Amino acid sequence: MNRAIPIHRRIRAAIEDKILSGDWPPGTRIPAETELAATYNCARMTVNKALTELAADGLIERRRKSGSVVKRPVLQSAVLEIHDIKAEVEAAGFAYRYRVEKRKVRNATRPDCERLQLEAPVSVLALSCLHLADDRPFCWEDRLISLSAVPQAHDASFTHQSPGAWLIDEVPWSAAEHRISAVAADASLSALQLAPNTPCLAIERRTWNAEEPVTHVRLIYPGDAHALVARFAPSKAG
Amino acid sequence: MNRAIPIHRRIRAAIEDKILSGDWPPGTRIPAETELAATYNCARMTVNKALTELAADGLIERRRKSGSVVKRPVLQSAVLEIHDIKAEVEAAGFAYRYRVEKRKVRNATRPDCERLQLEAPVSVLALSCLHLADDRPFCWEDRLISLSAVPQAHDASFTHQSPGAWLIDEVPWSAAEHRISAVAADASLSALQLAPNTPCLAIERRTWNAEEPVTHVRLIYPGDAHALVARFAPSKAG
DNA sequence: TAGTGGTCTAGACCACGCA
DNA sequence: GCGTGGTCTAGACCACTAG
């Protein structure tokens, strides 16, 4: 019975079309699962799968008894992927290099605790790195790693792998919080060789693993040399 | 049997735990659906639902014959939601106001075509707005609306609703592309009353509906007054 | 109370892709 | 081949909730 496209996909695509074209504006009631099952001559479970996916994607809202309705669009949302700096530089066709400019183990200071959102002051590793594209400054990195969460960072050299890439390999999975803002270049960014007050994009990222703070990083990109791009489409097609 | 948590959720949570804790590092093979069904004493369809969700969230990768394996973490990704400016201002506890500073209908110039990614020069509506929080400049908006896609914009007054909110109501659903960068304040932003060279966060958004360009907007926020925050967690719980 | 979605079952057949 | 996931079925019972 499944020539090419699965039934649940076809049902989903058909409903998506109705919504995206405006035929079914927000608030429109979608036929009940049993109705759709009759229409498409399939089992209710198959319809259920299609509608569940549409709900997960935020196109419809499902309620018992009253049925499924088309949702109002989320104002603006996007899946933003902040890539590995090395991959980013190389994708742009430049040669990537980086060097660690500063490295220090210390007991977390008060600012350190704030950056990592630590309760108690643990031992931390503070790093500063300069990332280069074709030997020209590309990005400045200030990083703090909790040695309580990642004790093995103490002895890592970071000569072959930048701290960010190294951490991905060491800490299995994590939750993260990003903060994106604009700042003016100052003396602390002298390695970027920018004119004073050059606008820069600042990306801060705080990472946890199983509730435990792992790292905080602040990446500074010269504003004219970098932009974050994100896309959003209601139909993610799986 | 299902007093509290559905079986598929429990299976999913159990596997998530294994992955997040590092017990099952990337590359680990996950038991086959039939095995898990036996373990949890449930039907294979129930296990399938759990694993399908995990795959959709990017925690595992599923392959026929060889089975499901734990994926390497995506380097950094986040769901970024760019909110309605009005909601944003009011959420911060300020009174929101805005005014249209400029409004002009014209045939698309070459820069207009680039901004909207138009093939042919159609008629467009160009708008500039100032958004205020407690009567202080908060955000500057430069917008272009394709009158080919949204002809009714020609006669919209935008007195009660900002162009962004109005569009949400008029254009049913849309895909969007965002571009975030840092720029320096210049004369064109005089309405924001900033010192020259103040760093600003620039958010550009291009919107389509069914392949047709709808609008392009450029929002400028003083860098010290604004930041975008995004969260990412592997377990989105739905 | 009745309609709707949420979940689950115990089968089934097929397509894919490693051996 | 043959094990795996992908899909589908024709039922079932329950929870929620609008009328």
Side-chain angles (χ1 to χ4, degrees):
Chain A
M1 296 301 178
N2 60 346
R3 307 274 166 268
I5 303 164
I7 303 173
H8 71 86
R9 281 223 177 289
R10 271 182 288 171
I11 298 173
R12 190 186 151 164
I15 296 174
E16 255 176 24
D17 275 353
K18 294 279 191 188
I19 297 175
L20 294 173
S21 67
D23 282 359
W24 287 357
T28 304
R29 191 175 182 284
I30 286 174
E33 294 188 354
T34 47
E35 261 180 90
L36 287 168
T39 304
Y40 288 92
N41 194 31
C42 69
R44 184 168 77 97
M45 268 295 282
T46 307
V47 174
N48 181 281
K49 177 156 187 159
L51 296 189
T52 300
E53 286 173 7
L54 285 170
D57 279 1
L59 270 93
I60 68 173
E61 199 172 332
R62 314 197 69 196
R63 276 178 302 225
R64 287 160 148 121
K65 167 68 178 177
S66 53
S68 305
V69 295
V70 178
K71 273 225 286 198
R72 294 194 72 240
V74 176
L75 285 186
Q76 291 303 338
S77 95
V79 176
L80 175 70
E81 300 217 359
I82 298 176
H83 298 95
D84 182 43
I85 299 172
K86 182 184 178 196
E88 197 174 12
V89 168
E90 290 177 344
F94 299 113
Y96 173 75
R97 280 203 314 127
Y98 88 96
R99 59 170 179 265
V100 176
E101 298 269 330
K102 216 182 71 181
R103 180 204 175 101
K104 196 180 168 190
V105 173
R106 62 171 178 246
N107 283 319
T109 61
R110 196 179 310 258
D112 291 348
C113 288
E114 267 177 46
R115 282 177 65 188
L116 278 171
Q117 295 200 334
L118 288 166
E119 306 285 322
V122 301
S123 184
V124 298
L125 173 62
L127 291 162
S128 295
C129 305
L130 180 65
H131 300 263
L132 304 117
D134 273 358
D135 286 328
R136 299 196 318 183
F138 176 74
C139 173
W140 178 257
E141 169 176 350
D142 271 313
R143 184 181 290 272
L144 223 49
I145 301 174
S146 161
L147 290 174
S148 153
V150 198
Q152 65 269 41
H154 188 283
D155 302 313
S157 69
F158 303 119
T159 45
H160 296 304
Q161 215 178 7
S162 71
W166 182 87
L167 277 165
I168 291 287
D169 284 345
E170 292 294 321
V171 183
W173 264 91
S174 56
E177 184 183 290
H178 293 88
R179 189 186 149 89
I180 301 161
S181 58
V183 299
D186 64 11
S188 73
L189 302 173
S190 58
L192 286 175
Q193 300 169 16
L194 299 170
N197 295 320
T198 300
C200 295
L201 202 57
I203 301 172
E204 286 175 89
R205 177 162 59 235
R206 201 174 270 127
T207 307
W208 294 265
N209 187 35
E211 311 280 311
E212 187 176 15
V214 170
T215 187
H216 175 277
V217 61
R218 188 175 160 88
L219 302 168
I220 309 289
Y221 296 86
D224 55 352
H226 198 74
L228 296 170
V229 174
R231 276 164 208 281
F232 168 70
S235 55
K236 284 185 291 185
Chain B
M1 299 296 180
N2 62 347
R3 278 280 152 268
I5 303 164
I7 302 173
H8 70 87
R9 280 223 178 286
R10 272 181 290 174
I11 297 173
R12 190 186 152 166
I15 295 174
E16 255 176 24
D17 275 353
K18 293 279 191 190
I19 297 175
L20 294 173
S21 67
D23 282 1
W24 288 357
T28 304
R29 191 175 181 288
I30 286 174
E33 294 188 354
T34 47
E35 262 180 89
L36 287 168
T39 304
Y40 288 92
N41 193 31
C42 67
R44 183 167 79 96
M45 268 295 284
T46 307
V47 173
N48 181 281
K49 176 155 188 159
L51 295 189
T52 300
E53 286 175 5
L54 285 170
D57 278 2
L59 270 92
I60 69 172
E61 199 172 331
R62 314 198 70 196
R63 274 177 303 219
R64 287 161 148 122
K65 166 69 180 175
S66 50
S68 305
V69 295
V70 178
K71 272 224 288 198
R72 296 195 69 240
V74 176
L75 285 185
Q76 289 302 340
S77 96
V79 176
L80 176 71
E81 299 218 358
I82 298 176
H83 297 95
D84 182 43
I85 300 172
K86 182 183 178 196
E88 197 173 12
V89 168
E90 290 177 345
F94 299 114
Y96 172 74
R97 281 203 312 127
Y98 88 96
R99 58 170 179 264
V100 178
E101 298 268 328
K102 217 182 71 182
R103 180 204 175 102
K104 195 179 168 191
V105 173
R106 63 173 177 242
N107 282 319
T109 62
R110 196 180 310 258
D112 291 347
C113 287
E114 267 177 46
R115 283 177 64 188
L116 278 171
Q117 296 199 332
L118 288 166
E119 306 285 322
V122 302
S123 184
V124 298
L125 173 63
L127 291 162
S128 295
C129 304
L130 181 65
H131 300 262
L132 304 117
D134 273 357
D135 286 328
R136 298 195 321 182
F138 177 73
C139 172
W140 178 257
E141 170 177 347
D142 270 314
R143 184 181 290 272
L144 223 50
I145 301 174
S146 160
L147 291 174
S148 153
V150 197
Q152 63 271 41
H154 187 284
D155 301 313
S157 70
F158 303 119
T159 45
H160 296 306
Q161 214 177 8
S162 71
W166 182 87
L167 277 165
I168 291 287
D169 284 346
E170 292 293 322
V171 184
W173 264 89
S174 58
E177 184 184 289
H178 293 88
R179 187 186 151 89
I180 301 161
S181 58
V183 299
D186 64 11
S188 73
L189 303 173
S190 58
L192 286 175
Q193 300 170 14
L194 299 171
N197 295 321
T198 300
C200 295
L201 202 58
I203 301 171
E204 287 176 88
R205 176 163 58 236
R206 201 174 272 128
T207 307
W208 292 266
N209 187 35
E211 312 279 312
E212 187 176 15
V214 171
T215 188
H216 175 278
V217 61
R218 189 173 159 88
L219 302 168
I220 309 288
Y221 296 85
D224 55 353
H226 198 74
L228 296 169
V229 175
R231 277 163 210 281
F232 168 70
S235 55
K236 285 186 290 187

